[in-house]
Amino acid sequence: MGLLGAVEVRDGDRAVVLGGPKPRALIAVLALHAGHAVSLDRLVDALWEDSPAADVRGALYTYVSGLRRLLGDVVVRDGGGYRLDLPPEAVDVELFTRTVAEARGAGDPAETAEKLRSALDLWRGRPLDGVTGSWADAERARLEELRLVAVEERLAAELTLGWGDRLVGELTALTGQHPLRERLQAHRITALHQAGRRTEALAHYRAVRAGLVDELGVEPGPELRAAHERVLQADDADAAAGGPAVAVPAQLPTDIADFTGRGDDVLALAAMLSGQPGTAVRVAAVSGPPGAGKSTLVRHVAHQVRAEFPGGQLYAHLAGTRPAAADPADVLGGFLRALGVPEAAVPAGLDDRIARYRSELAGRRVLVVLDDAAGEQQVRPLLPGGRGCAVLVTSRQRMGALEGAHQRELGVLSEEEAVRLLDAVVGGGRARREPMVAAEIARLCGRLPLAVRIAGARLAARPQWPLAQLARRLRSERTVLSELRVGDLEVRGSLALSYAGLSGLARTALRRLGYLELSSFASWLLAPLLGCSPAVAEDVVEHLVDSRLADASGERYALHDLTRAFGRERAEAEETREELESAVTRAAGEYLALMEHAAIRMPGAAEVIAAESVSTLDDALVADLLAEPERWFEAEQAGLVAVVERAAALDLSALASRLAAALSSSSFALTNQFSLWWRTHQAALSAAERTGDRAAEARLLGGLGWLRYEQDRLDESADYYGRALACWVTAGDLPQQARTRLELSRVHRERGDLADAIALLDETIPVLRVMDDPVLLARAHHTAALTHTERGDLPAAWSAGDQARRSYEQRGDDHGVALVLRSLSLVRRAEGDWDAAIGLCERALVVLNRIGDRLMIAYTTQALAKARLRRGDASTGPALRDGLAVCNEMQDSFGQALITRTLGELELAKGHPAAAKSHLEHALQWWDALNLPLWRARTLRDLSVAHMAAGDPAGADAAWAEASAIFARHGSREAAEPRPSAVPSQNPLTGSPETRAAR
C-alpha cells in the first residue's frame, strides 16, 4: 500500500481504483495506523475537518463499505472505529521507517548509506498525493521532514566514506531548495572540501553565514561551524602561493527577488552546471517563445550556482532578436578585458581572440551566460575550451545544432505558477485574497511570465484598483497589448522583435492568422490566406514555428493568445481593408469548398448540402484532408466558427451565411453543437441585416428555425420559419418558399397542430413536383407519412412513406431509406401487424449501424422495443437504456422523453405499476418542458393504465380524462380509440409515431 507518492493500493501488479479524495483520505488514515484501530471521531476529523457532511456517520459508512468492496475483509470494525488488518510492513511508510531505523543501527557507514538509499527509493513523489485537507497537509509535512532527515543522514554516511566529489551537484540542488537547513549546508562545505575545492567551500560558508545573519539574525550552529573549522585546519600545502592577482569577473545581472515557478527547470539546470566537470565544457541552451522568462530563469540559476565558479562569471547580451545582433568578436573583446587582459594585448582578429579567450579560461572554473542568442553560429566562438567552465545560453530558437548542449525548452507557466507569480509581484497578498480573479488575469495573460509580471506591476502601482478592474480591461483582445505595458516592459515590444526578424511572407501570414483570430490551424490554410501554393504555405508556417511565434502539435499549429492579438494589430495597421477582405474571402471560400466536400461524405448531410464550391487545392491534398470527414470537422471547428465571424464582421454577408448554413447542415446538426450553431448564425444574421441582404437573412432565419427544432423549442422554431417564409415571399422565391413551408409543416406536426401541418404539405408537395426536386419531394412525402400516421389515416401514411422510400432508393441514399423504414414500421405497428413492424425496424437498424448514426439507432431501437412489447416480448430493457444514454449524451430532449416513456410501458408489461408510474411521470415532466401536449396526452393514457393496475381508479380516470381532451383538441388518431383497460401486452395501446424525419 503506497502513501509515499500518490495514494495507491496494489493487488499484485494490478492497481485498485480508489475513487475520489474522500476514499483516498480514508485508506490513507487507516494505512498510517495499519494494525491499530482508528476512532470514528478521528476519521471524521481527517475526512471533513471543520465542515462535516450533514449525515457524516452515514457518509463515512458509505466510504467504508466501498473500501470493503474493493479490498475485502482487510477493513474491519474494531471497538469504536475501524482497523486496517494488514501487517505494518505492507505499507510503504512503515517499511521506510523500519529501514531507516535499521540504517541507524548499522555500525558501518557503507551499510548505513546503502540501507538509507533503499529506504529513500520507496518514495515515488509528493506523499499522500491526491488527498486534500489540513490533516493531509500536516501528515505530508511530517513525512517530508522524515525524508529530508534520512537524506541528510545518507549524505553524512557517504561523506564519511569520502565521496564528496560525487555529491557536490546533488547538494547544490538541495541547498538551493532548503537554504536554511544548516546540516545540508555543512554537508555541502564538506563535499566541496573533499572535492579539492577548498576556496569554494570557504566562500560558501561565508555566503551561508551572511544569509543566516541577514534573514534570521542568528549565527551558524555548531555543525555548520565545525565543517568550516575542518576546512580552515586542512593542509594548505597544495594551495597556490604568490604570483600576480587574477581578475575574477562578476558580470551577472541582478537576480530577480520575486522569481517564482520553474522549479523543475531550476533544479535540472543547477544540477547540470554544478556537476563534476567532464571532458568538455558543459553547455545548457534554454529556448522558448517571446516573454516566456528565459533570461529571468537563466539569471536566477546563474546566481544559484555562482559559488561553484570561483573563477568568475561572464555575461553578454547577444541581441539576437534585434536587427544588429552582437558581433562575437566584440563580445570576446569585452570578455578578455574582464578577465584582466590589458587593452593593448587584446588581439584584433576573431580567431586570435577566440584562442586568447580559451587560454585565459584554461584551468579556471568560470560560468559564461549568453543571453538572447541569434543562433549557433553566434554562440560557438564564445564557448570556452576549459573543462571546468560552463555556459548558459538563451535563444528564441531551439539550438539543436549546438553540439553537446543540454536543451531546455520553456513554455507558458502552469496556472498555479502564474497566479503565484502575480501574487509575488502585486504584493500584500492581494492576489491570494481574490483567487478566482487572479486566475482569470493569469489566463488572460496567456500564462506568459512577461505578461503576468507586467499585469502584477500595474496592480502594484495602483493599490486602489480591485483585481477585477484589470481583468475587465484585459478581456478585450483588441486592446490587451496596450494594457500589458508598464515602464520599459511591454509584451508588444517583445513580440515586435521576433516579428521584425521574419520574412515578408511570414509577417503577412502572422498578420492574417491573427486577423482571423484562429486558435489553431493547419498549414494548408495559409495557401488561400497568402495566395500561394500549399508547399510554400508549409515552409512559411515552419518559419513561424522556428521563430517561436507559432507552436506545432502534430499536423496542427497554434498562436499564443497574445501573439494572435499582436498579429491582428499589425494586420489592421499595415494592410488595407481591401487586402484583408480579399484574404478572408479566399480562406472562407476554401473552407466552404472543403466543408461541402466533407459533408457529402457524412451520413445525414447529403440530403441538405451539395458540393457546389470548387477547392483551389489539388485533388490529392483534398482527398488526404477529408479521408476522415468527421475528424476533419472536429479539428477545424474552431477555425470554421472564426472565419464565419470574421466574414460577418466584414459584412461579407453572402459568404458568411453560406458558411453558417453549411456548418449547420453538416457538423453542427450531426453532433448537436447547438451553441456554435447559434453563435455563427447570429453573427451572419447581423451582417445580413446590416447589408440588407434579404436572401442571406431568410437563409439564416431558416437555419435558426431548424436549430430551435433540433432543440425541441418548437414555438421559437415556428416563429423563425415564419419570418424566413415572409422574407422569401417578399423576394418572390417560390422554391425557397416551398422548402420553408415543408420545414414549418414538420414543426406543426411535432406541436400536434396536425391540420395545419397537412394544409402546408398539401400546398407544398405540388410545387415540389413542378420544381422537380427529388430530395425535397422525398422529405415531403416522408413528413406526410408521419403526419397521416398521427391523424390515423394509415393507408395514406403507407402510400406517402412508400413513395419516400422509393425516392431514396433511386438516389442510393441508404440513410434516407433507413429513416423511412422506421417510419413505415410505425404504420404497421398502428395497424397491429407486429411482425411487419419488427422486420422494418430490423432492416433500418442494419443500415444505421453500418452508417454509425447513433441517435437514429437509439430512436429505431425504441421503435423496435415498442413493436416487440406489443407482441408480448418484455426483454428489451437493456437496449432501451443504451438508447437513453445516447440521447442524454447528445442532449436530445425528445429522445430522452420518448425512451423514458417506453421504459414505463415496459414496466407495465412486466406487471410493475409502481416502477411504470415513476418512468411515466418523469416523461411527463419532459413533455411539459418541451411544450408538447399531444405527447403529454399519450403518456397520460399510459399512466391511466398504471393507476388502474396499482388500484387507483380515481387517478386512472383523471389521467384518461385529460388525455382524451387533448386528443380531441388536436384531432389525433387516438381521439377515436377506446380507453385502454389493461397493460400493453394484453390490450395493445396502438402505436404512435415517435420519430422525427430529419433525425
Side-chain angles (χ1 to χ4, degrees):
M1 194 162 293
L3 304 180
L4 300 178
V7 174
E8 67 174 18
V9 176
R10 302 196 71 83
D11 181 6
D13 294 332
R14 182 180 67 87
V16 178
V17 179
L18 294 173
K22 290 287 190 292
R24 290 179 182 275
L26 176 58
I27 194 64
V29 178
L30 294 173
L32 280 173
H33 301 85
H36 301 280
V38 183
S39 70
L40 291 180
D41 289 342
R42 189 166 187 178
L43 289 171
V44 168
D45 289 343
L47 268 66
W48 283 279
E49 302 178 28
D50 298 327
S51 57
D55 180 13
V56 67
R57 294 297 175 95
L60 179 60
Y61 295 151
T62 299
Y63 291 132
V64 169
S65 298
L67 283 183
R68 283 175 167 167
R69 283 195 300 273
L70 291 171
L71 307 179
D73 296 334
V74 297
V75 181
V76 298
R77 183 80 181 197
D78 190 342
Y82 291 95
R83 170 171 50 84
L84 193 62
D85 191 16
L86 285 175
E89 60 269 18
V91 181
D92 59 2
V93 172
E94 178 63 24
L95 188 57
F96 169 77
T97 305
R98 289 189 178 191
T99 308
V100 170
E102 291 172 5
R104 289 168 179 162
D108 176 41
E111 184 182 355
T112 297
E114 182 180 355
K115 286 186 176 294
L116 287 169
R117 279 195 299 272
S118 176
L120 290 164
D121 284 344
L122 295 169
W123 286 70
R124 296 172 287 106
R126 178 173 176 260
L128 301 178
D129 202 12
V131 182
T132 58
S134 58
W135 171 83
D137 291 341
E139 284 296 323
R140 192 175 291 116
R142 180 181 71 83
L143 293 171
E144 288 281 14
E145 178 63 22
L146 291 177
R147 184 191 68 82
L148 203 50
V149 169
V151 170
E152 290 174 335
E153 293 180 3
R154 190 211 90 215
L155 290 166
E158 292 174 341
L159 287 170
T160 301
L161 296 169
W163 295 354
D165 58 340
R166 69 177 72 171
L167 299 176
V168 171
E170 180 183 359
L171 280 162
T172 300
L174 284 169
T175 52
Q177 292 175 283
H178 308 283
L180 300 181
R181 287 190 79 94
E182 293 191 32
R183 192 175 192 191
L184 283 177
Q185 299 289 8
H187 286 343
R188 181 174 174 183
I189 290 168
T190 301
L192 286 167
H193 183 210
Q194 289 182 1
R197 295 154 67 176
R198 178 173 178 272
T199 303
E200 296 172 54
L202 294 172
H204 186 63
Y205 174 80
R206 290 193 297 273
V208 172
R209 178 184 177 277
L212 290 170
V213 171
D214 292 345
E215 293 190 35
L216 303 179
V218 298
E219 289 288 341
E223 189 168 8
L224 192 53
R225 292 199 305 273
H228 181 225
E229 287 295 325
R230 285 194 294 273
V231 180
L232 290 175
Q233 294 169 8
D235 184 8
D236 292 344
D238 294 333
V246 177
V248 181
Q251 296 184 333
L252 293 181
T254 307
D255 194 4
I256 304 297
D258 53 13
F259 183 87
T260 304
R262 305 292 193 197
D264 291 344
D265 298 299
V266 171
L267 285 176
L269 290 169
M272 193 278 292
L273 295 169
S274 303
Q276 188 70 16
T279 58
V281 63
R282 288 158 291 163
V283 181
V286 179
S287 58
K294 302 178 293 295
S295 300
T296 303
L297 170 66
V298 162
R299 194 186 314 176
H300 181 69
V301 171
H303 276 278
Q304 283 214 325
V305 302
R306 64 179 177 178
E308 302 292 326
F309 299 95
Q313 305 89 41
L314 295 168
Y315 173 87
H317 189 280
L318 300 184
T321 54
R322 299 184 182 277
D327 187 329
D330 295 338
V331 174
L332 286 171
F335 281 175
L336 289 172
R337 288 186 287 272
L339 291 166
V341 176
E343 181 68 38
V346 174
L350 174 62
D351 290 342
D352 290 337
R353 288 188 177 190
I354 292 172
R356 181 63 185 268
Y357 168 64
R358 291 175 178 165
S359 296
E360 290 292 327
L361 294 184
R364 299 177 64 174
R365 290 178 59 83
V366 174
L367 176 65
V368 181
V369 178
L370 304 173
D371 199 5
D372 190 23
E376 296 90 342
Q377 188 173 3
Q378 188 188 29
V379 169
R380 286 194 185 97
L382 307 177
L383 298 179
R387 59 191 293 270
C389 295
V391 181
L392 269 173
V393 188
T394 75
S395 176
R396 293 190 181 180
Q397 299 186 25
R398 180 180 173 85
M399 289 189 289
L402 197 59
E403 297 83 354
H406 171 83
Q407 301 289 342
R408 201 76 187 176
E409 192 156 349
L410 298 188
V412 297
L413 297 171
S414 70
E415 183 171 303
E416 180 184 358
E417 288 177 323
V419 171
R420 286 211 317 269
L421 175 59
L422 182 70
D423 186 56
V425 178
V426 175
R430 287 167 65 191
R432 285 197 303 276
R433 289 193 294 273
E434 299 184 63
M436 300 298 289
V437 185
E440 183 187 8
I441 290 174
R443 287 193 296 272
L444 291 168
C445 291
R447 294 185 278 116
L448 196 68
L450 175 61
V452 174
R453 183 170 292 280
I454 292 171
R458 292 199 67 191
L459 288 168
R462 293 165 177 80
Q464 76 280 8
W465 273 17
L467 267 65
Q469 184 164 344
L470 180 60
R472 175 179 55 77
R473 296 169 72 104
L474 291 174
R475 286 188 193 114
S476 169
E477 189 167 296
R478 185 175 289 275
T479 60
V480 65
L481 294 179
S482 297
E483 296 295 335
L484 291 175
R485 179 174 58 189
V486 62
D488 60 349
L489 293 177
E490 65 167 335
V491 174
R492 182 186 286 114
S494 179
L495 290 164
L497 291 172
S498 290
Y499 177 72
L502 296 174
S503 68
L505 204 55
R507 285 199 297 272
T508 303
L510 184 66
R511 290 195 303 267
R512 293 179 180 175
L513 288 168
Y515 189 69
L516 280 181
E517 298 182 339
L518 296 172
S519 56
S520 75
F521 58 95
S523 63
W524 65 262
L525 180 62
L526 288 180
L529 266 184
L530 300 175
C532 65
S533 70
V536 172
E538 191 166 348
D539 289 342
V540 169
V541 76
E542 289 299 332
H543 183 24
L544 291 175
V545 171
D546 291 340
S547 302
R548 306 315 301 268
L549 289 169
D551 295 319
S553 177
E555 297 180 352
R556 305 286 299 175
Y557 300 88
L559 302 182
H560 186 276
D561 293 349
L562 299 179
T563 305
R564 189 169 63 243
F566 176 83
R568 174 174 174 159
E569 271 193 2
R570 291 296 84 216
E572 293 174 341
E574 297 179 30
E575 299 202 51
T576 66
R577 181 183 174 93
E578 289 73 21
E579 288 172 326
L580 294 174
E581 280 187 5
S582 179
V584 170
T585 299
R586 291 194 303 271
E590 189 59 56
Y591 259 130
L592 184 61
L594 290 174
M595 186 165 31
E596 290 176 354
H597 282 82
I600 61 175
R601 293 167 165 83
M602 297 170 66
E607 287 189 2
V608 290
I609 194 168
E612 299 174 351
S613 304
V614 178
S615 173
T616 60
L617 306 178
D618 63 78
D619 293 343
L621 177 57
V622 171
D624 184 52
L625 291 174
L626 305 183
E628 298 180 63
E630 292 89 350
R631 185 178 175 188
W632 183 84
F633 268 114
E634 182 180 356
E636 296 293 347
Q637 180 172 274
L640 288 162
V641 172
V643 169
V644 172
E645 292 181 330
R646 175 54 64 202
L650 290 170
D651 285 341
L652 302 172
S653 57
L655 191 54
S657 67
R658 288 184 65 197
L659 279 166
L663 270 171
S664 64
S665 300
S666 50
S667 177
F668 292 170
L670 298 177
T671 57
N672 287 7
Q673 297 283 347
F674 295 143
S675 62
L676 296 179
W677 187 336
W678 175 262
R679 178 174 154 186
T680 51
H681 269 65
Q682 284 294 315
L685 182 59
S686 296
E689 290 171 343
R690 285 194 302 269
T691 59
D693 188 341
R694 296 288 282 172
E697 185 180 351
R699 185 181 300 115
L700 294 161
L701 287 169
L704 290 171
W706 184 14
L707 168 61
R708 290 311 193 213
Y709 177 81
E710 291 291 326
Q711 292 178 298
D712 303 304
R713 296 164 67 168
L714 299 179
D715 291 342
E716 293 178 59
S717 177
D719 178 65
Y720 279 120
Y721 276 132
R723 291 166 59 190
L725 183 57
C727 288
W728 293 124
V729 169
T730 301
D733 191 324
L734 291 176
Q736 288 294 351
Q737 291 175 41
R739 289 184 178 92
T740 307
R741 287 192 176 95
L742 172 58
E743 301 306 325
L744 191 54
S745 73
R746 298 166 66 218
V747 178
H748 282 311
R749 181 184 64 80
E750 290 284 357
R751 292 200 303 182
D753 300 333
L754 303 180
D756 291 341
I758 286 294
L760 281 168
L761 287 167
D762 288 345
E763 185 180 357
T764 302
I765 288 176
V767 177
L768 294 177
R769 288 198 183 101
V770 173
M771 287 170 52
D772 193 23
D773 188 328
V775 175
L776 283 181
L777 194 56
R779 292 178 62 205
H781 284 309
H782 191 185
T783 302
L786 291 166
T787 311
H788 286 309
T789 306
E790 297 268 10
R791 300 185 75 197
D793 189 349
L794 301 182
W798 182 265
S799 174
D802 202 43
Q803 287 184 68
R805 178 188 59 78
R806 290 197 303 270
S807 295
Y808 284 129
E809 285 178 344
Q810 288 169 5
R811 295 182 56 245
D813 185 348
D814 291 345
H815 188 261
V817 170
L819 298 184
V820 175
L821 288 174
R822 181 190 182 278
S823 300
L824 289 172
S825 80
L826 304 180
V827 179
R828 291 300 187 225
R829 194 178 78 212
E831 293 173 340
D833 189 346
W834 319 131
D835 291 338
I838 290 169
L840 288 164
C841 281
E842 289 174 340
R843 286 171 57 193
L845 277 174
V846 170
V847 177
L848 293 170
N849 277 305
R850 187 182 72 243
I851 292 172
D853 186 342
R854 296 173 62 220
L855 188 59
M856 276 311 303
I857 290 170
Y859 272 77
T860 308
T861 299
Q862 179 272 339
L864 179 60
K866 291 268 285 194
R868 286 177 172 166
L869 189 61
R870 297 292 185 264
R871 198 173 62 175
D873 179 358
S875 63
T876 57
L880 283 172
R881 281 185 281 274
D882 289 345
L884 182 60
V886 170
C887 292
N888 290 338
E889 177 191 336
M890 301 186 73
Q891 305 172 52
D892 189 83
S893 303
F894 187 94
Q896 292 173 75
L898 180 66
I899 297 178
T900 301
R901 175 195 167 210
T902 308
L903 286 168
E905 294 179 276
L906 178 64
E907 294 298 334
L908 270 179
K910 291 160 66 176
H912 302 151
K917 285 170 61 179
S918 175
H919 285 300
L920 294 169
E921 287 167 353
H922 188 194
L924 280 179
Q925 295 173 359
W926 276 109
W927 301 130
D928 289 344
L930 297 172
N931 192 24
L932 295 175
L934 198 51
W935 286 101
R936 172 179 174 80
R938 288 167 180 151
T939 306
L940 283 169
R941 181 187 60 180
D942 299 338
L943 193 57
S944 73
V945 178
H947 280 305
M948 187 65 72
D952 180 10
D957 289 345
W960 173 249
E962 183 183 349
S964 59
I966 296 173
F967 291 147
R969 184 165 66 249
H970 287 271
S972 69
R973 183 188 68 250
E974 293 89 348
E977 293 175 354
R979 175 179 178 177
S981 59
V983 296
S985 61
Q986 297 167 336
N987 183 13
L989 300 172
T990 50
S992 309
E994 293 106 9
T995 188
R996 294 168 167 221
R999 294 193 181 180

